[in-house]
Each structure stands twice: as C-alpha cells, then as structure tokens.
Amino acid sequence: MKYQQRDAAILLLADGTIFHGKSIGIPGKATGELCFNTGMTGYQEIFTDPSYFGQLMVTTNAHIGNYGVNRNEKESGSIKIAGLICRNFSFQHSRPDSDGNLFDYFKAQSLIAISDVDTRALTAYIRDHGAQNAIICTDETPIDELKSILMTVPDMKGLELASKVSTTEAYFYGNPEAKFRISALDLGIKENILRHLASRDCYIKVFPYNSSFADLKSFDPHGYFLSNGPGDPEPLPGVIALAKEIISRDLPLFGICLGHQLIGLANDVPTYKMFNGHRGINHPVFNVVTGKGEITSQNHGFAVERAAVEAHSELEITHLHLNDGTIAGMRMKNKPVFSVQYHPEASPGPNDSIYLFDAFVASLI
C-alpha cells in the first residue's frame, strides 16, 4: 500500500485546549458540541442519526471505516454529525457486502473529519470537564481566527434543533392495509423506529415537528408517537402542548429520547442538561417493573429530573440507568402513556428492549 502524506489538523475546544491530528483529505472547518460515543461498531448508523445534529463526534473505537458503508445501515437520508474526530481512519475496507468506503461517503457530503487524535486522552478530558463546543480545522486557518469562529457557536442548552432535521412534509411508512395506524411526530426520527413499528402491523404517518394535534388526529390513528431528536427539549412549546393534549384525551402515547423528555415537560417535570451525556451501545439499565437488567443503546445530553418524577402523583419510574441513577424510563399510572430515555430500536446496539414496541402495540388494542 502506497504511503499517503496527510495534512496537519487541529481540534480547538472552547476552553482553549488543543488536540492535534491529521486531515483525512477533506479541507474545511466544522463546529459543534463535542461528544463521544463508546460503541465498538455501528459507526454509519451513528453518523446518520438525526439526534447527533450539531455535534462533533469523538469515536472511542480505535478503527473507523474498516468495514466501509452499506446502503441498508443508515438511520436517515444523510450524515447528521457536524464532524468526526477519530484515532485511525481506514481508507480501505474489507467487508464483502459493503457499498463503498467511508472516505467517499464523507467526501460526497463534505463531512470534515480528522484522525490520528489521542481519543483516549480526549474522551477522558470530556469526562472530566464536561461537554463543550469545539471546532475542527483541516485548512490551516490561524488559531486566533478559529477562536473567533468558536465564540459564535451557540450553546446546546436552550438550542432548538428539531426543526433542522424534521421532515417538511408528512409521509407514510409501512403497509396501508396494516391493522394499526400510528401518527408519529418527527423530531429527528430514526428509520429503525419506523421499521419496528411497521413490522408489528402498523401503518405510520410521519408528521413535521410543528404539526398540531388536529393534524395528527386527522389520520384517525390508534396511537401517537414522539420521536428522538437533537437539541434542548424546552424550546419546543408547541410539541409540549401537543403532548399535553394527547395525554388529556387518554390516548396511547409512546416517546423515545427527546420524545421522553417532552412527555416529562408536558407533565410539568423539568429537564436539565447533563454534564457529558450518555452515548454508546452498552449502557446498563434496571427495569424496575420486572427486576431485570437491560443493556441499551443511548444517545442523549438532556434528562428529566428524577426527584420531580418521584414526587409526581401521576408518574412512576419504570427504568433507571445503573451507572448514575438517572431516569431511563417512566409511565403514567392511569393513562396509556410511557416513554424511555434510551433507544429500544438500537441500530446500532443490543435488542434487549425491543419489547417496548410490543407494549406500545398492545396498548392500541
């Protein structure tokens, strides 16, 4: 294999810390909130997950790109991360059923990425100092200019991003002859959620993030779904009002990730920005109802306040994160409404929690 000379690249954090690396060959700059994912596989699903919109992704797995890309392993129509920081970037791949290499996939979408970064040190730094904005640069822009650019990047707290990734027009998914109809609000919905619902005899109409209850009700659905998505849930008053309306009518409602947080806000439960969030495919969760453990896929930087849920007369905790005790799931005591902070559809990740889709469909009967 011919040796490839690559240009120097840097990662500049908001607190002034600099990490050095190399460009993979796509010149430019990218900004966003810095986060890390501990998953050892599934990088294409991660890169196309709309919940990562506006974030610079640090992958803790040492090798990225080694099995190429596959058209069936995406969670949306395009790459959603703002940029990539990794240790080793593989320009060659060895997977027999891949459709191409990761470099061409990135180049076609102008995704800025840097490699040869000490990602172990970087991850430890984020864990110690918390999530913060950063900029990656592969075009030799002076540091002072990069600092000026970085100062204009908004904080994730208070940032509404669902509108950036939601569909602009309603669309249908699944078999029109299916037994159940679901109205799903797209806040950044992953394709595997739709696949799971469709495989359970559901026909789904996916609505834009700013749709009204009347819009969703016009499909005459058996149940309602609030999807995952990026950003802070608090700047979405319209969705909170929508969730309140669904809840007040005692209609079946299931929420995942951002949808979970919005169901909390609809019940007057505050949310807060976490120190560095949960992102990976091996997060341990305790099912309070069954007494069993689950290994889960997670991707979130906000959470609902546990004390507020515990004090709430109409809510109860169903799942807890075993690493830090944060709420991973909750349900309403006398209504067909429940939600989880993690991703039961996985992609990537384990299938321990796919029973939640069965529970949702059971609530429709």
Side-chain angles (χ1 to χ4, degrees):
M1 180 168 49
K2 183 180 178 181
Y3 179 77
Q4 185 177 14
Q5 181 68 39
R6 293 192 286 130
D7 295 334
I10 67 166
L11 164 68
L12 171 66
L13 278 62
D15 66 4
T17 303
I18 295 175
F19 285 81
H20 295 274
K22 294 181 179 179
S23 169
I24 69 166
I26 303 172
K29 294 176 283 291
T31 62
E33 183 184 64
L34 195 62
C35 68
F36 62 87
N37 188 297
T38 59
M40 297 301 289
T41 187
Y43 55 72
Q44 185 180 356
E45 293 94 324
I46 292 168
F47 300 159
T48 56
D49 181 350
S51 292
Y52 282 119
F53 185 86
Q55 292 181 308
L56 296 174
M57 172 57 58
V58 180
T59 49
T60 61
N61 184 16
H63 299 282
I64 296 299
N66 52 309
Y67 58 82
V69 294
N70 184 295
R71 67 174 65 90
N72 297 318
E73 296 175 356
K74 58 182 179 60
E75 287 303 315
S76 67
S78 63
I79 295 171
K80 292 299 189 296
I81 60 170
L84 172 69
I85 302 101
C86 66
R87 182 67 183 97
N88 300 314
F89 187 90
S90 298
F91 291 87
Q92 287 78 33
H93 62 283
S94 57
R95 188 180 182 188
D97 66 345
S98 63
D99 297 319
N101 64 65
L102 188 60
F103 176 77
D104 289 341
Y105 192 67
F106 279 2
K107 188 174 182 180
Q109 300 183 55
S110 301
L111 193 284
I112 307 300
I114 66 174
S115 68
D116 295 78
V117 176
D118 187 347
T119 50
R120 287 173 63 91
L122 176 56
T123 299
Y125 192 88
I126 299 170
R127 281 180 169 155
D128 290 343
H129 297 83
Q132 59 182 286
N133 287 337
I135 183 170
I136 55 177
C137 176
T138 63
D139 61 9
E140 299 183 340
T141 299
I143 294 293
D144 287 344
E145 185 175 337
L146 294 178
K147 288 181 178 179
S148 297
I149 295 172
L150 191 51
M151 289 179 63
T152 68
V153 180
D155 290 334
M156 190 64 71
K157 175 65 177 173
L159 192 59
E160 185 278 299
L161 292 176
S163 61
K164 307 295 184 183
V165 295
S166 178
T167 182
T168 56
E169 299 288 339
Y171 65 92
F172 298 93
Y173 190 97
N175 178 12
E177 303 302 319
K179 181 178 180 180
F180 303 108
R181 293 181 303 280
I182 304 296
S183 286
L185 195 70
D186 178 12
L187 305 168
I189 197 166
K190 291 173 63 180
E191 287 188 11
N192 207 39
I193 291 173
L194 298 175
R195 296 185 197 108
H196 273 286
L197 290 172
S199 70
R200 287 163 173 78
D201 209 14
C202 294
Y203 185 46
I204 308 104
K205 186 172 183 179
V206 183
F207 291 85
Y209 82 103
N210 56 354
S211 299
S212 66
F213 175 73
D215 294 332
L216 272 65
K217 187 176 182 294
S218 67
F219 188 48
D220 192 24
H222 295 89
Y224 297 81
F225 177 77
L226 299 182
S227 84
N228 62 292
D232 190 336
E234 288 189 4
L236 291 167
V239 184
I240 297 170
L242 169 65
K244 285 186 176 182
E245 183 70 19
I246 296 171
I247 292 168
S248 71
R249 292 171 180 258
D250 294 339
L251 299 171
L253 176 62
F254 179 27
I256 289 176
C257 196
L258 181 59
H260 161 82
Q261 297 158 16
L262 289 161
I263 288 174
L265 288 168
N267 281 286
D268 300 317
V269 173
T271 58
Y272 64 95
K273 191 175 188 305
M274 304 174 74
F275 188 62
N276 53 35
H278 296 154
R279 297 176 181 89
I281 59 176
N282 63 345
H283 285 252
V285 162
F286 177 65
N287 187 320
V288 179
V289 179
T290 65
K292 296 181 179 180
E294 301 171 23
I295 303 301
T296 67
S297 177
Q298 303 209 3
N299 169 19
H300 61 101
F302 292 83
V304 299
E305 286 192 4
R306 177 171 176 172
V309 176
E310 291 175 330
H312 202 287
S313 62
E314 297 182 29
L315 289 172
E316 62 182 357
I317 297 171
T318 57
H319 301 78
L320 290 170
H321 197 295
L322 287 173
N323 285 350
D324 59 10
T326 53
I327 290 182
M330 62 186 181
R331 67 185 178 189
M332 299 196 71
K333 296 177 181 178
N334 299 306
K335 295 177 184 288
V337 177
F338 71 101
S339 61
V340 288
Q341 182 62 80
Y342 54 96
H343 287 268
E345 81 287 350
S347 191
N351 294 317
D352 294 25
S353 306
I354 57 173
Y355 67 88
L356 290 164
F357 291 101
D358 299 320
F360 178 48
V361 172
S363 74
L364 308 177
I365 299 174

